[in-house]
Every structure is written in structure tokens, then in C-alpha cells.
Amino acid sequence: MTEWNFFSIRKASFVLTIGSLFAGALAGCGGPDQPAAAPSDMKTKEPVELTLAPYFLNMTDAEFQEVLIKPLTAKYPHISLKVVRDDITKLVSAGQTPDIVYSANSRFSVLQELDIPYDLSALVKTYNLDLNKFSSPNIDWIKELGTKGEIYGIPFGLNQMALFYNKDLFDKRGVAYPKDGITWDEYFELTKKLTYNEGGVQYRGSLPPNPEFISRMKSMSLVDAKTNKALVNNDTFKNVMELVQAFYQIPGMVQDGQKLPAGSNHFVKDLQMAMYLNWIPDTVGFIQQSAAQMNYDLVGAPAFKEKPGITIDHGAQMMVVSKSSQHKEEAFQAIQLFASPDVQNIMNRKSRLTVLADESLTKQFLADVEVTKGKNIQGALKVKSAKMAPPNPYHVIVAGKVNAAAETFATGAKDINTVLRETQEESDKAIEQELAKKKK
């Protein structure tokens, strides 16, 4: 959800395997907050095909089928849903803007620049959708997108971050397991203790985090909204880069300037990394797909000691209806259904966290996933989300630049001030190029 692996700017998209679901449960979708069927709803309606495009997020075909398409067909037989995986910018340019965009909240500004989001406030009122049923801070952030009460999206799922750890590697070194409430300093010290070479095999406590991850923990913007300049070459971001650099400087972390291994493989396949800081659904998916038998558990993602219990903003996801859609009402009916307790329960038990403020649902997160049985799922959910920085269409450009720049710490060829200055220049140039394209 999503939604990035912070040890690589190019996050691999993995979701949990979706088991077979009972058709009867799907047919029962509706729930108390679903709109009551009006007399006209009882009549045969003309078939409507809605298109949905995921943007910066993904699901497997199986998850789309079980979580979205089956419940929609059961509730509204005349509405079908077609998933379009093409790039959203290309779709808009070709005059094929989808009816619904399934997007990470943090990418909203790009959709706004493409003039996609439709104000749903009137439909929210017409269909009596209670926005208070959604958990904070996700629904609050969506409300903030509208300066005059507009509602540009409906929450769909969350993608909580956690610190996974290999118990066997901790036991082997006689190191105590991490606990919920772990601070960033404690996480760093564990990484140092568990980075060692044995029999020619290099083990690592963890991998260096990406700077963007740290900036999100601190609710920092990477782009100045007024000037469209990167916010990189300054003391505040220098502190972020110094923290990341410290991980690279742990003895044994980098081998002769070689590129670091992929975090997911190093953790779940090679079994040579003690901790892995990543999204819960993705990492559980990696564990499911790995042939290796891992003795693992998880705790909440680490927080800075000055802000205990608060970590990176959740990978919040939303459904947006397009202004150009010829079927806005049907699209809204679909996304209201996706946010209903019945559909959220299906999703929550098998893949991603519910957006509903219903503790009975949250307590069932991943309940149907075998590899999470007996794991500290609920403890990992106790950390709170940092405030999401205001969305910016050029955030992803700068994030890519700073994350790539951090990799230069592996060789130590450049001092941190040079890295910051060059990254600022490269980021500003890339933004200028994007702005020039829009003027053509």
C-alpha cells in the first residue's frame, strides 16, 4: 500500500496470498452504513463497466478479485469492474482517465495536477456515508485536502510499518530481542551488535534506511511548495543524512564498497540479516513466498526518543473518483462498498489493515494468514502515525535523488556537505525539467 520498501527506492510489490472466500460472506456485503436500496434500485439496471487504475500501489489479480470485484458483483450485479494497470499520466493523456483511481494518499498532489479528483461531498451526504467511522489520522488528512469542505477521496486501506526480526540470529549472538516501544538509538545499537562476519559469511543487524523514510518520520517536506525548490541542502536535512551515514559506517556493513544486498532477500531467503524494517503486508508476503523456514517475530517500528511511540506515517490508501467519469454515482457506490465493514473485514483478515475505527476489526488483522499465527501483530500496531507532510507532485523526484545519494556513503568518496549540495542541484534541475514540460 502502496506504499515503499525504505531500503530501496524501487519497492517490490508483493501482497499476501488470498485464500478462497465463501461466496455467502461476499453476497452479504452491505452492512449498516451501506445505502438502503431505493425503489429504483430494485429495478433491472443497464450494465455499467467501471475502470479502476492503481497509482503507486498494487494488488495481485487474486486480491482485486476477492476484495473488490466479487463483493461489488454481489451487491450491484449491474456494475462490473475492470482493472487498468497502465500509467495514470498516459491514461489521462490518451483521454482514457479511469473512473476510479486507487492511490497512496501521499501521491494525491499528482492526481490533482492531472485534474482527476472529483469532490464527493454531495454524494457522501446523499448516500449518508458516515466519515466518523474511519480511523484517524487518515480521514483527517483527506479532509484537509479540501479547503472548503471538499472530500476528494474515501479511505480504503492502511499499510503499517513494523520491525521484523530473526529470533535465531539474536539467540546465536546472545542478544535480547527488540521490544515494542524501541527507540531509534536502540535500533542502531542492535544493528551494530548484530553486524559481524562468521566463517566468511557477512551478517548484518539491519540495512541503512533511506533518507526519505527518516524525513517522513519527522513529517518533513522535501520540496518547498512556494518555490518548487528541494529542501535538501540545509542543516535539518543534514541531520537526516548523518543518521543514515552512521549505518553505512558500521564495520562490516559495506564490503569493499560493494552494493548492499536487497533487504527482503537478505532477511527472508539468505537469513543473514537480523532485522528488517518494512511494511507489514509486504514482509509477511515475502515470508510466505520464501522456501526458508524463518523463526521470526515483529515489534512496532522504532521512534525517536523525543517523540516516543510515533513513527512513519502509515501507508494510507484512498479511492478517488474521476471528474471525467460518466458513472460518478456508480463509482461512489463501489468505493462506499469497499469501505464497508463486510469488505474491510475480508481485506483486513487477509492482507492490509482496515481504515475503519473499529477495534474488533483491527484485532483480527491478518487472522487468516498462517505465518502470522502467534506473532506480535497487535503489539506492532500500537505505534502511532507521524503527521503526513503536505503532498507535493515533485516529492517523488527528490525522494529518488536523496535515496540514491545516500548510497554514495558506501564508498565514502564524498563528504556529506558535497553530497547535500550536489543532490540539491540535481533535484532542482529535475523539477525545472518537469515544470518546463508542463509549459509546452
Side-chain angles (χ1 to χ4, degrees):
M1 68 204 350
T2 187
E3 320 218 315
W4 293 5
N5 175 345
F6 291 102
F7 303 106
S8 170
I9 187 66
R10 297 184 63 189
K11 169 182 168 297
S13 294
F14 286 88
V15 292
L16 307 187
T17 304
I18 304 297
S20 59
L21 301 174
F22 292 107
L26 293 172
C29 290
D33 46 292
Q34 290 304 302
S40 59
D41 291 336
M42 305 306 292
K43 301 176 183 178
T44 301
K45 292 191 174 183
E46 291 295 322
V48 171
E49 181 183 71
L50 299 176
T51 54
L52 180 149
Y55 176 59
F56 234 85
L57 293 171
N58 207 353
M59 288 186 183
T60 61
D61 290 339
E63 193 175 8
F64 272 124
Q65 184 68 26
E66 299 294 343
V67 178
L68 301 184
I69 296 174
K70 282 188 179 180
L72 182 63
T73 301
K75 177 74 175 181
Y76 300 108
H78 69 291
I79 302 178
S80 60
L81 185 67
K82 178 182 178 181
V83 178
V84 182
R85 298 183 184 273
D86 294 332
D87 178 76
I88 189 67
T89 303
K90 292 180 180 178
L91 289 171
V92 172
S93 297
Q96 300 173 356
T97 306
D99 299 288
I100 301 171
V101 180
Y102 168 42
S103 172
N105 288 15
S106 58
R107 307 301 165 197
F108 177 81
S109 57
V110 177
L111 303 184
Q112 200 166 33
E113 282 216 327
L114 293 171
D115 199 29
I116 291 177
Y118 175 69
D119 178 14
L120 299 171
S121 56
L123 287 168
V124 166
K125 184 175 182 180
T126 298
Y127 281 85
N128 195 31
L129 175 59
D130 182 11
L131 298 180
N132 293 320
K133 72 175 184 176
F134 296 109
S135 61
S136 294
N138 190 26
I139 186 60
D140 304 315
W141 186 89
I142 289 177
K143 288 178 179 178
E144 289 173 4
L145 295 176
T147 58
K148 299 179 181 179
E150 301 95 336
I151 300 295
Y152 289 116
I154 300 300
F156 175 68
L158 296 174
N159 199 8
Q160 184 100 3
M161 179 79 67
L163 181 63
F164 290 76
Y165 62 95
N166 184 325
K167 298 172 75 173
D168 290 341
L169 292 184
F170 275 81
D171 293 342
K172 186 177 181 179
R173 301 293 286 183
V175 177
Y177 302 149
K179 297 180 180 180
D180 287 318
I182 183 173
T183 66
W184 193 262
D185 290 341
E186 292 169 337
Y187 169 53
F188 179 73
E189 290 302 316
L190 285 176
T191 300
K192 288 200 296 185
K193 287 181 180 179
L194 292 158
T195 299
Y196 62 96
N197 192 291
E198 183 176 87
V201 177
Q202 182 61 51
Y203 292 87
R204 293 176 175 85
S206 185
L207 288 184
N210 280 341
E212 191 224 10
F213 166 46
I214 307 299
S215 70
R216 286 175 63 175
M217 284 186 68
K218 293 176 173 289
S219 304
M220 293 169 54
S221 297
L222 294 184
V223 184
D224 187 315
K226 294 182 179 179
T227 64
N228 286 323
K229 299 292 184 182
L231 297 172
V232 173
N233 193 15
N234 54 63
D235 288 342
T236 302
F237 197 76
K238 182 178 181 179
N239 291 335
V240 171
M241 293 295 266
E242 287 175 337
L243 192 155
V244 175
Q245 186 183 45
F247 276 83
Y248 278 94
Q249 293 174 338
I250 293 174
M253 179 64 70
V254 179
Q255 297 293 298
D256 301 321
Q258 295 179 359
K259 187 177 179 65
L260 290 171
S264 58
N265 287 341
H266 206 37
F267 183 65
V268 305
K269 293 183 179 180
D270 303 334
L271 304 181
Q272 294 171 3
M273 187 166 75
M275 298 178 289
Y276 186 39
L277 185 58
N278 196 29
W279 304 113
I280 294 177
D282 290 345
T283 307
V284 172
F286 295 148
I287 293 170
Q288 283 183 307
Q289 295 166 21
S290 174
Q293 297 297 314
M294 172 176 283
N295 181 20
Y296 83 96
D297 211 335
L298 68 160
V299 295
F304 289 105
K305 57 185 178 182
E306 61 268 24
K307 291 186 176 181
I310 299 177
T311 189
I312 186 172
D313 58 87
H314 299 329
Q317 304 156 9
M318 64 196 296
M319 295 284 183
V320 174
V321 174
S322 168
K323 283 182 180 180
S324 63
S325 173
Q326 300 300 306
H327 308 289
K328 293 184 180 68
E329 190 162 359
E330 289 85 354
F332 182 82
Q333 289 175 321
I335 62 177
Q336 182 175 12
L337 176 64
F338 301 154
S340 70
D342 289 322
V343 174
Q344 286 284 304
N345 182 52
I346 294 170
M347 176 188 73
N348 181 74
R349 293 179 67 89
K350 293 184 176 292
S351 58
R352 60 201 71 211
L353 185 62
T354 180
V355 290
L356 298 178
D358 183 342
E359 290 189 8
S360 66
L361 281 181
T362 305
K363 289 178 180 179
Q364 296 302 310
F365 180 46
L366 301 181
D368 294 343
V369 179
E370 189 62 31
V371 299
T372 66
K373 303 294 185 184
K375 306 303 180 185
N376 183 39
I377 299 294
Q378 293 304 309
L381 296 181
K382 290 180 180 179
V383 291
K384 296 182 179 180
S385 171
K387 183 175 177 58
M388 191 178 294
N392 187 285
Y394 309 111
H395 171 93
V396 67
I397 292 175
V398 182
K401 297 294 184 183
V402 297
N403 289 340
E407 294 181 5
T408 65
F409 295 145
T411 63
K414 298 178 181 179
D415 66 89
I416 197 165
N417 290 324
T418 300
V419 171
L420 290 172
R421 187 187 71 253
E422 292 180 350
T423 305
Q424 176 78 39
E425 292 171 355
E426 292 174 8
S427 298
D428 289 346
K429 183 177 180 180
I431 292 173
E432 288 172 6
Q433 291 173 342
E434 287 299 310
L435 289 169
K437 289 179 184 178
K438 294 174 183 178
K439 295 178 180 178
K440 292 182 179 179

